[in-house]
Amino acid sequence: MSTPQPPTKIAIIGGGLAGLSLALSLNLHSPTAKTTIYELRAPTTSTSGALMLSPNALKILDSLHVYERIKNRGYEFESVISRRENGEVMDEYWMGSKSVFGYQALRVYRQVLLDELRSVATERGVDIVYGKRFSRVIEENEEGVTFEFDDGSKETAKLVVGADGIHSTVRKYVHPGMEPKYSGITAVTAAVQRSSLCFPEPDTEGKEYHMPVSINGKHGAFVMAPQNPEGTELLVGRQARFEERNKAGWDLLRKDTYQLLSFLNENKGDWPEIVQSAMDGIMQEKLSIWPFYVVPPMATWSSSYGRVLLLGDAAHAIPPTSGQGASQAFEDVFSFSLLLSKTESGIPSKELLGKWEKYRMIRIGQIMELTRKLNGTRANAEEQKAMRERGEEVWMARDLGVEGQRWLFETEIEEGVEELLK
């Protein structure tokens, strides 16, 4: 009689969206694996802001039994309309479709999603250890990893997964010296009540004003997106080029109400009435900034022995323009946990891990190109003129239509993983 193999011990560094969803996905695909999440922040720590989730993410969250918990706690929509200053519709970018993809897009508060992921993880018996800051890898070999926390305590695992975000500490071990790079673009955002907006009259067909909307003019784009189920509170924001700052500098800017309000109100008289009313209705306590940082492309997301791995923002932080940052973390999580479930030892070989990384890197490259194009559509008139002078196209999504988004939302991850195993 063969001796039963002990459970594969997997340590996840980071208890955010990527770390929690990875633990749930491992629980689904490899229920015998012993998974522990190590998270620095206390579970009572709150986070602000909302995020957009498209069908590729919602399908995965549905398989993890999380989607039904958040569906009615966010704002459902199918496309983002871009309008000129005179109200004319100039573009439409599809982010979901119930009839085509099975899901509408969902804009939901990040804290709602975190809370529900954490609740499901607790119900499934996932171990989450709070107050632990990963410090370093002490030793790694083919048998596993010994690693240490800031408090001097040590742990071992067959596999360590760095899901600790764009400023990942685990990445310092896999790629010493690799730091996120500032894209040059920062979004300044706030919130307004829908009731404070001066909407144009319904069009000749009686249609109400479509939300979310991006109003594009010579000064760039002004975005408005509902972020609660009733659509009564909206995110508003603009993005532009800001000089890079250090952490202290970004923190100062984040607290500089006067400067942020001044930026959002720039050239107020040139904007249509709906934008001017949004400027007047800004809730100052919800002013914020989002500097767009990216992680430079890496040849590999794993260590030499393949026992330390990066995924999510730790591997490939994506600016929010395409609404695919969290969605791509969920794709990482689902495809990787599925791959693990199909390996005999419960841990992929370095060769198989390399195949998975290449598979995901191709996908991330496509998303980054989409993000670049969308950033161009939100640039101001001067920047768009410079793009054309360089021979760059100012891209429009309308030619794709909803069918043109199949490549993005119909991911067929199961088939992709099967191909890796051949």
Side-chain angles (χ1 to χ4, degrees):
M1 182 181 296
S2 60
T3 304
Q5 292 294 311
T8 302
K9 190 176 179 183
I10 299 174
I12 301 172
I13 308 300
L17 300 181
L20 287 164
S21 58
L22 176 59
L24 292 178
S25 198
L26 287 169
N27 181 270
L28 173 68
H29 293 124
S30 301
T32 60
K34 176 67 172 68
T35 303
T36 303
I37 297 174
Y38 298 96
E39 166 59 31
L40 171 62
R41 297 171 182 83
T44 53
T45 304
S46 61
T47 184
S48 61
L51 68 163
M52 292 187 180
L53 299 171
S54 293
N56 51 326
L58 296 174
K59 182 180 178 182
I60 292 169
L61 291 172
D62 210 355
S63 73
L64 302 178
H65 305 290
V66 174
Y67 174 63
E68 66 266 25
R69 296 182 180 223
I70 64 171
K71 180 179 184 294
N72 296 321
R73 300 183 67 188
Y75 183 82
E76 290 188 300
F77 66 100
E78 296 202 336
S79 66
V80 178
I81 291 287
S82 294
R83 295 180 181 270
R84 302 187 195 280
E85 291 169 324
N86 63 5
E88 176 190 352
V89 174
M90 58 182 288
D91 202 10
E92 184 171 23
Y93 179 68
W94 288 86
M95 295 195 68
S97 169
K98 179 73 173 176
S99 61
V100 178
F101 305 115
Y103 301 90
Q104 293 180 289
L106 181 70
R107 183 165 174 80
V108 64
Y109 286 113
R110 182 178 293 268
Q111 189 64 51
V112 167
L113 181 53
L114 276 170
D115 287 345
E116 294 303 337
L117 284 167
R118 193 179 292 127
S119 293
V120 176
T122 301
E123 291 166 14
R124 302 262 181 89
V126 174
D127 288 335
I128 307 177
V129 182
Y130 294 100
K132 287 290 189 180
R133 184 195 293 272
F134 174 88
S135 174
R136 66 189 180 106
V137 170
I138 296 172
E139 182 182 8
E140 179 192 9
N141 54 42
E142 293 177 352
E143 298 304 314
V145 186
T146 301
F147 56 100
E148 186 176 29
F149 296 99
D150 266 8
D151 61 8
S153 61
K154 300 176 179 63
E155 292 289 347
T156 60
K158 281 283 188 181
L159 180 70
V160 172
V161 181
D164 51 342
I166 187 169
H167 299 291
S168 169
T169 306
V170 179
R171 189 175 60 235
K172 297 180 187 300
Y173 172 73
V174 178
H175 288 285
M178 174 71 75
E179 296 292 341
K181 300 295 183 186
Y182 178 51
S183 68
I185 298 174
T186 293
V188 178
T189 63
V192 301
Q193 292 297 320
R194 184 184 176 94
S195 58
S196 70
L197 300 180
C198 295
F199 287 93
E201 292 295 321
D203 63 21
T204 54
E205 297 179 4
K207 294 180 180 177
E208 292 190 2
Y209 199 83
H210 181 99
M211 289 283 183
V213 64
S214 172
I215 299 174
N216 296 52
K218 60 185 177 182
H219 304 301
F222 193 96
V223 176
M224 293 185 279
Q227 53 190 16
N228 63 347
E230 303 78 21
T232 55
E233 182 178 294
L234 288 80
L235 169 133
V236 295
R238 299 173 62 190
Q239 63 186 52
R241 296 199 170 273
F242 280 72
E243 288 187 4
E244 185 174 16
R245 295 158 165 80
N246 58 21
K247 184 179 184 303
W250 287 123
D251 288 342
L252 281 174
L253 178 61
R254 189 172 284 108
K255 296 173 184 176
D256 191 340
T257 300
Y258 176 80
Q259 186 173 348
L260 298 184
L261 273 176
S262 296
F263 170 74
L264 286 176
N265 281 277
E266 272 182 7
N267 306 296
K268 182 178 179 180
D270 293 339
W271 291 97
E273 187 177 17
I274 187 172
V275 174
Q276 292 187 38
S277 63
M279 292 173 175
D280 290 338
I282 285 172
M283 300 157 69
Q284 294 189 21
E285 69 275 12
K286 295 203 173 184
L287 281 164
S288 189
I289 60 169
W290 189 335
F292 295 177
Y293 278 84
V294 297
V295 175
M298 295 176 276
T300 179
W301 296 343
S302 57
S303 58
S304 56
Y305 284 101
R307 300 298 185 177
V308 181
L309 170 74
L310 307 171
L311 51 70
D313 281 357
H316 52 70
I318 299 170
T321 319
S322 62
Q324 281 292 309
S327 298
Q328 290 311 302
F330 293 143
E331 285 189 19
D332 284 354
V333 159
F334 193 85
S335 59
F336 181 69
S337 59
L338 189 59
L339 185 73
L340 257 64
S341 73
K342 296 180 180 296
T343 57
E344 200 169 309
S345 66
I347 299 292
S349 66
K350 180 64 175 174
E351 179 184 3
L352 183 56
L353 195 55
K355 289 182 179 180
W356 173 81
E357 289 173 357
K358 183 177 180 181
Y359 159 73
R360 289 299 302 149
M361 287 175 182
I362 291 171
R363 174 74 163 167
I364 296 301
Q366 294 169 337
I367 302 299
M368 292 300 289
E369 175 61 15
L370 172 65
T371 302
R372 184 192 66 79
K373 290 177 177 179
L374 287 169
N375 277 332
T377 68
R378 295 184 184 178
N380 61 38
E382 184 179 330
E383 289 171 337
Q384 289 188 350
K385 180 183 177 182
M387 288 173 63
R388 293 187 179 97
E389 289 174 350
R390 294 193 300 267
E392 298 176 20
E393 175 190 10
V394 179
W395 184 74
M396 293 290 171
R398 62 185 174 221
D399 295 334
L400 296 176
V402 65
E403 290 290 334
Q405 295 291 67
R406 288 191 183 276
W407 73 272
L408 184 57
F409 301 143
E410 294 183 344
T411 51
E412 300 179 344
I413 290 175
E414 292 85 353
E415 291 83 349
V417 170
E418 288 297 334
E419 283 294 317
L420 299 178
L421 295 166
K422 289 181 180 178

